[in-house]
């Protein structure tokens, strides 16, 4: 398809505008994180700090036990991602390859749950967890997130696309059901799995509402929750908050740059999620 | 290892894909399973592989009844129609896969896989992924993977159907060569009669799940058990002419025509169907002629000339000597040696010279 130079120029201008709009908050965050307190709220806005206060970063780390929060975030993210990986592969395999009674109905019900907005589930989930006595534990932070209907759905579709003959071939070659899943299906679904799990890592790392609801104690806070430490009775220390926020986002930025290809594919596949 | 099938039947919801199939496949033979689409060839193979379990009947590998044995434990190799290679594994890893599943140590598995790759002449491709191979190369990988674990039985489901004409020719000879070199019992599914006739020791022809004939290829071609077998084999196909007995000795009237033809054989039946192979028919003079008709079509295919001759309402095809001086629109006399004429029952299609014996059954040996 040949596009006229004019329309191409228009597209680039619009995309550039979009990119600038998306980047502005980031730039503002970084710039604020390097400002002195008096410049934070100055009018007209100061974009480039007159003096670069790198000490904001060390200062910010002293406000709360961020090392602890960081470890919590890492634990929650890793364990819930691995958990989701396992449940997703097993469930997707069962729903795509194994004939059992009520399979299609069960799957339809599962899909139905995707239509319920997650905010609606906050309270029932909280009640369930408190009945289990899990409130304010790692389990509360992790277990509810070790299964994702969306991921199961995506992987099941992927599995359905793998020809049946491949499983016949594997059987003839001496594979049990489980070996087939492990040695053939899962490796074949690697691109889909990476995409799904990357989005999972990002969501898990950024999760704010759920951790704040199910945990009270300091020791269980994750990084996004920990950022609230900068809100004091005397007001918000924006320069420190921004310094801390920059640090929280940093690992995800690196991940994004390394895995960009998969993330873009994932977003494209899932519509406007992520 | 001999393979016995005893009244093997496979029913899907409403259809019998395989119907009381009984036969013996001798050790070291290459047997073709031939038949039109949907006749139950793949189903038979799946049953042999253990990927389907039969509705009734038994399968024996040698003395062992394997009917209930799972595919993993049958020690067979199988080549699928679309090859079914593992796309994420290299050629070498594909061939090693069955060995690794048997827990053969990595080093030994690799050696055996390379040896097998050499046998099918893809030794130089072992680091590629299946996606980077041509159809013919993928097929060789599939064969190597099927053979590497030294199976007792090799099953091939239309392995050549995705290849172009020349490659098919090459590959079928290749399959024959490898089969003989390894000395393995093999069952080869195809719907291409020429393929079946050219490479196999024996051909099993199926229709609607029922085994029609089970004999060596030439025998099946020359002495078809019924008109279905006769019409399935041969290209251009055999001509059928319906004739009615007359009062005169040895004279039969062609149906829908006034012509009489002479038949040396006396069949005690009012109406019969004659089968005439196109390559046995020739142009001749009035005295020797069996029938007379008008040439309505003439074409030269390679070294043969194919004509269509209209005898009143019946049109027959003949392959004739290309040197013959004949043109469309001319009348001609056509002849055939009497021993080349086949006689079929009009109602049930049975070859009247063969009686009703079923080769499949005849072939079925008693075993304990
Ligand atoms: N899993 C199945 N469920 C229901 N019917 C089936 C199934 N597999 C095959 N059949 C039916 O059984 C019959 C035989 O099928 P089969 O695949 O054995 O034919 P085939 O001889 O291999 O044909 P082709 O040359 O087209 O591959 C067909 O009528 C087919 O529709
Ligand atoms: Mg088939």
């Amino acid at each position: 398809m040949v596009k006229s130079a004019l329309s191409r120029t228009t597209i680039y201008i619009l995309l550039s505008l979009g990119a600038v709009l998306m980047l502005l908050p980031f730039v503002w965050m970084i710039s604020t994180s390097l400002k002195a307190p008096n410049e934070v709220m100055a009018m007209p806005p100061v974009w480039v700090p007159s003096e670069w206060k790198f000490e904001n970063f060390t200062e910010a780390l002293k406000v709360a036990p961020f090392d602890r929060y960081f470890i919590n975030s890492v634990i929650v993210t890793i364990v819930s991602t691995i958990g989701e990986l396992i449940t997703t592969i097993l469930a997707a395999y069962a729903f795509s390859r194994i004939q059992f009674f009520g399979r299609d109905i069960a799957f339809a019900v599962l899909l139905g749950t995707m239509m319920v907005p997650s905010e609606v589930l906050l309270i029932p989930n909280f009640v369930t967890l408190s009945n289990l006595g899990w409130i304010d534990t790692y389990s509360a932070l992790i277990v509810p997130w070790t299964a994702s209907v969306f991921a199961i759905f995506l992987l099941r579709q992927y599995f359905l696309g793998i020809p049946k003959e491949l499983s016949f071939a594997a059987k003839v070659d001496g594979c049990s059901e489980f070996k087939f899943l492990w040695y053939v299906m899962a490796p074949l679904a690697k691109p889909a799995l990476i995409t799904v799990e990357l989005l999972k890592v990002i969501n898990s790392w950024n999760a704010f509402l759920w951790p704040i609801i199910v945990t009270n104690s300091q020791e269980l806070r994750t990084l996004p929750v920990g950022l609230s430490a900068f809100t004091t009775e005397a007001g918000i220390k924006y320069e420190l908050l921004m310094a801390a926020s920059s640090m929280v986002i940093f690992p995800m930025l690196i991940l994004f740059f390394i895995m960009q290809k998969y993330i873009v594919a994932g977003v494209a596949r899932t519509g406007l999620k992520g | 290892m001999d393979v016995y099938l005893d009244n093997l039947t496979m029913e899907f919801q409403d259809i019998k894909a395989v119907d009381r199939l009984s036969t013996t496949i001798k050790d070291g033979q290459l047997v073709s399973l031939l038949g039109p689409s949907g006749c139950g060839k793949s189903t038979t193979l799946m049953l042999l592989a253990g990927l389907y379990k039969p509705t009734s009947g038994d399968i024996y590998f040698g003395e062992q009844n394997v009917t209930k044995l799972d595919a993993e434990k049958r020690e067979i190799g199988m080549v699928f129609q679309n090859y079914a290679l593992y796309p994420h594994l290299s050629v070498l890893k594909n061939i090693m896969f069955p060995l690794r599943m048997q827990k053969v140590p990595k080093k030994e598995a690799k050696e055996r896989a390379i040896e097998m790759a050499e046998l099918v002449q893809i030794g130089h491709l072992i680091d590629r992924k299946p996606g980077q191979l041509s159809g013919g190369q993928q097929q060789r990988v599939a064969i190597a993977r099927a053979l590497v674990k030294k199976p007792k039985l090799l099953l091939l489901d239309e392995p050549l159907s995705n290849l172009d004409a020349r490659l098919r020719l090459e590959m079928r000879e290749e399959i024959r060569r490898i089969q003989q070199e390894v000395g393995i019992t093999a069952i080869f599914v195809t719907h291409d009669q020429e393929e079946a006739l050219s490479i196999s020791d024996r051909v099993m022809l199926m229709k609607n799940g029922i085994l029609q004939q089970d004999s060596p290829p030439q025998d099946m071609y020359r002495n078809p058990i019924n008109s279905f077998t006769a019409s399935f084999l041969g290209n251009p196909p055999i001509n059928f002419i319906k004739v009615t007995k007359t009062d005169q000795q040895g004279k039969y009237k062609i149906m829908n025509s006034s012509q009489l033809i002479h038949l040396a054989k006396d069949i005690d039946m009012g109406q019969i169907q004659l089968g005439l192979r196109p390559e046995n028919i020739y142009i001749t003079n009035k005295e020797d002629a069996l029938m007379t008709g008008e040439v309505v079509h003439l074409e030269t295919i390679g070294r043969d000339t194919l004509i269509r001759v209209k005898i009143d309402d019946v049109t027959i095809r003949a392959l004739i000597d290309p040197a013959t001086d004949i043109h469309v629109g001319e009348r001609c006399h056509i002849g055939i040696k009497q021993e080349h004429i086949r006689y079929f029952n009009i109602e049930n299609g049975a070859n009247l010279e063969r009686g009703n014996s079923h080769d499949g059954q005849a072939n079925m040996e008693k075993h304990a």
Side-chain angles (χ1 to χ4, degrees):
Chain A
M1 194 170 60
V2 185
K3 283 207 182 100
S4 73
L6 186 67
S7 77
R8 192 174 306 172
T9 316
T10 320
I11 287 171
Y12 281 135
I13 290 176
L14 285 175
L15 285 178
S16 309
L17 272 177
V20 169
L21 276 176
M22 296 295 285
L23 278 175
L24 264 185
F26 276 100
V27 174
W28 186 249
M29 175 180 77
I30 305 232
S31 127
T32 305
S33 71
L34 295 168
K35 285 172 194 167
N38 62 331
E39 279 181 328
V40 171
M41 292 297 200
M43 270 300 166
V46 178
W47 282 96
V48 182
S50 52
E51 190 189 346
W52 292 34
K53 300 195 75 80
F54 286 104
E55 58 269 34
N56 284 347
F57 283 77
T58 46
E59 202 66 23
L61 289 179
K62 283 185 203 144
V63 172
F66 280 104
D67 48 350
R68 179 71 201 222
Y69 300 168
F70 178 79
I71 290 171
N72 286 343
S73 272
V74 169
I75 291 175
V76 169
T77 301
I78 289 180
V79 177
S80 64
T81 302
I82 291 176
E84 188 192 270
L85 199 62
I86 294 170
T87 57
T88 301
I89 292 178
L90 291 178
Y93 187 77
F95 281 122
S96 62
R97 291 282 161 160
I98 300 176
Q99 281 294 345
F100 57 89
F101 177 76
R103 179 182 85 166
D104 295 338
I105 293 174
F107 188 67
V109 169
L110 211 59
L111 278 191
T113 64
M114 271 174 79
M115 285 187 263
V116 182
S118 58
E119 289 78 6
V120 174
L121 296 174
L122 282 178
I123 293 176
N125 282 348
F126 181 84
V127 174
T128 311
L129 288 195
S130 65
N131 286 341
L132 287 170
W134 283 6
I135 297 300
D136 212 21
T137 63
Y138 278 115
S139 303
L141 288 173
I142 294 168
V143 176
W145 303 103
T146 51
S148 152
V149 176
F150 169 72
I152 292 171
F153 172 69
L154 191 85
L155 198 64
R156 172 183 173 267
Q157 296 311 103
Y158 204 92
F159 279 176
L160 285 179
I162 296 176
K164 212 173 168 194
E165 257 117 354
L166 222 48
S167 74
F168 283 162
K171 274 221 183 90
V172 168
D173 286 346
C175 274
S176 62
E177 206 93 57
F178 186 76
K179 276 187 179 166
F180 172 60
L181 174 58
W182 184 251
Y183 289 111
V184 182
M185 291 288 252
L188 275 179
K190 211 157 90 185
L193 283 172
I194 291 180
T195 301
V196 169
E197 296 316 317
L198 270 177
L199 294 178
K200 169 77 179 182
V201 167
I202 294 171
N203 285 337
S204 186
W205 187 261
N206 292 339
F208 177 71
L209 203 52
W210 183 252
I212 214 166
I213 289 176
V214 295
T215 60
N216 316 314
S217 42
Q218 274 272 10
E219 300 80 63
L220 285 175
R221 281 190 187 164
T222 56
L223 283 172
V225 178
L227 291 179
S228 62
F230 297 99
T231 315
T232 63
E233 289 90 46
I236 301 173
K237 291 177 185 150
Y238 281 107
E239 69 284 2
L240 299 187
L241 174 60
M242 290 303 145
S245 300
S246 307
M247 288 187 277
V248 170
I249 286 174
F250 192 62
M252 290 302 112
L253 275 184
I254 293 181
L255 192 69
F256 182 82
F257 283 121
I258 299 176
M259 300 291 202
Q260 202 176 13
K261 173 176 99 182
Y262 292 102
I263 296 179
V264 171
V267 174
R269 209 176 311 195
T270 62
L272 285 170
K273 224 179 135 101
Chain B
M1 181 192 69
D2 291 0
V3 176
Y4 307 94
L5 305 184
D6 184 12
N7 275 305
L8 198 62
T9 300
M10 181 73 191
E11 286 172 31
F12 293 109
Q13 297 82 359
D14 46 352
I15 94 153
K16 277 192 179 166
V18 178
D19 195 358
R20 284 164 294 150
L21 179 62
S22 296
T23 191
T24 304
I25 293 151
K26 281 263 169 47
D27 187 34
Q29 281 198 333
L30 182 109
V31 174
S32 287
L33 204 51
L34 179 67
S37 188
C39 71
K41 306 181 296 289
S42 297
T43 308
T44 308
L45 223 54
M46 294 288 192
L47 288 169
L48 279 162
L51 296 166
Y52 292 165
K53 294 279 148 38
T55 316
S56 65
D58 288 293
I59 302 170
Y60 294 85
F61 286 180
E63 293 301 308
Q64 190 194 3
N65 185 336
V66 296
T67 316
K68 299 208 164 59
L69 202 64
D70 281 333
E72 300 93 286
K73 303 194 180 107
R74 286 204 186 177
E75 297 175 61
I76 48 148
M78 189 156 174
V79 177
F80 293 84
Q81 183 164 348
N82 61 5
Y83 312 138
L85 300 176
Y86 307 117
H88 60 299
L89 299 178
S90 68
V91 167
L92 182 67
K93 292 236 169 81
N94 260 283
I95 303 176
M96 281 167 66
F97 192 84
L99 298 177
R100 296 298 288 154
M101 290 302 115
Q102 288 178 352
K103 305 214 159 55
V104 173
K106 199 161 190 169
K107 190 155 162 286
E108 187 195 334
K110 192 169 168 182
E111 278 164 13
R112 279 170 65 181
I114 289 175
E115 200 179 303
M116 202 41 78
E118 297 294 345
L119 179 73
V120 297
Q121 298 166 354
I122 46 159
H124 55 298
L125 300 171
I126 54 172
D127 293 325
R128 297 228 195 136
K129 290 273 171 68
Q132 301 164 316
L133 300 179
S134 74
Q137 292 165 339
Q138 288 186 32
Q139 193 213 9
R140 287 162 196 252
V141 179
I143 294 176
R145 185 182 64 179
L147 286 175
V148 74
K149 60 184 166 189
K150 306 207 166 76
K152 296 181 189 163
L153 178 65
L154 179 64
L155 306 171
L156 306 116
D157 192 354
E158 305 199 28
L160 305 181
S161 58
N162 295 336
L163 308 182
D164 69 51
R166 264 200 53 195
L167 201 55
R168 286 174 81 132
L169 217 71
E170 247 171 59
M171 288 308 297
R172 78 183 187 208
E173 282 159 17
E174 203 55 21
I175 287 179
R176 182 63 167 163
R177 173 183 72 82
I178 294 165
Q179 184 260 339
Q180 307 246 295
E181 216 168 300
V182 183
I184 191 175
T185 315
I187 301 177
F188 181 95
V189 165
T190 176
H191 57 239
D192 181 339
Q193 42 110 5
E194 199 195 317
E195 217 163 83
L197 294 181
S198 65
I199 68 167
S200 32
D201 296 308
R202 251 184 45 228
V203 179
M204 293 166 60
L205 181 62
M206 290 177 75
K207 180 191 175 192
N208 297 333
I210 298 173
L211 181 62
Q212 303 288 313
Q213 186 166 357
D214 184 355
S215 28
Q218 278 318 309
D219 190 36
M220 184 175 281
Y221 188 78
R222 296 213 186 96
N223 279 313
I225 197 157
N226 57 30
S227 54
F228 170 76
T229 309
S231 65
F232 199 82
L233 301 183
N235 187 24
I238 195 167
N239 299 293
F240 287 119
I241 301 174
K242 290 180 180 159
V243 296
T244 316
K245 199 168 186 166
T246 65
D247 300 339
Q248 302 169 50
Q249 174 68 31
K251 293 275 188 211
Y252 289 74
K253 188 175 92 59
I254 299 178
M255 259 194 240
N256 298 324
S257 160
S258 54
Q259 287 191 39
L260 293 182
I261 62 175
H262 168 75
L263 297 176
K265 201 165 180 104
D266 188 32
I267 303 273
D268 188 23
M269 213 171 243
Q271 295 190 336
I272 45 177
Q273 191 167 33
L274 304 180
L276 315 175
R277 291 254 176 234
E279 66 270 26
N280 294 333
I281 296 172
Y282 52 90
I283 305 278
T284 181
N285 55 29
K286 193 155 187 265
E287 285 66 47
D288 183 49
L290 194 68
M291 309 173 269
T292 306
E294 183 193 330
V295 180
V296 290
H297 179 87
L298 186 149
E299 66 184 288
T300 306
I301 322 162
R303 60 192 156 74
D304 294 316
T305 295
L306 173 71
I307 57 170
R308 282 214 294 272
V309 182
K310 200 159 171 348
I311 299 144
D312 299 311
D313 272 1
V314 196
T315 307
I316 65 172
R317 290 194 184 82
L319 282 176
I320 56 166
D321 183 354
T324 316
D325 181 29
I326 195 158
H327 303 96
V328 172
E330 290 176 0
R331 290 195 71 76
C332 66
H333 303 289
I334 58 179
I336 185 167
K337 287 216 183 81
Q338 287 286 341
E339 74 260 27
H340 285 145
I341 300 176
R342 293 286 164 267
Y343 302 80
F344 299 99
N345 184 322
I346 276 192
E347 260 106 54
N348 61 18
N351 185 337
L352 294 167
E353 292 167 305
R354 282 188 68 124
N356 274 335
S357 88
H358 185 297
D359 270 23
Q361 242 88 52
N363 211 306
M364 181 73 196
E365 285 176 13
K366 278 268 167 280
H367 66 280

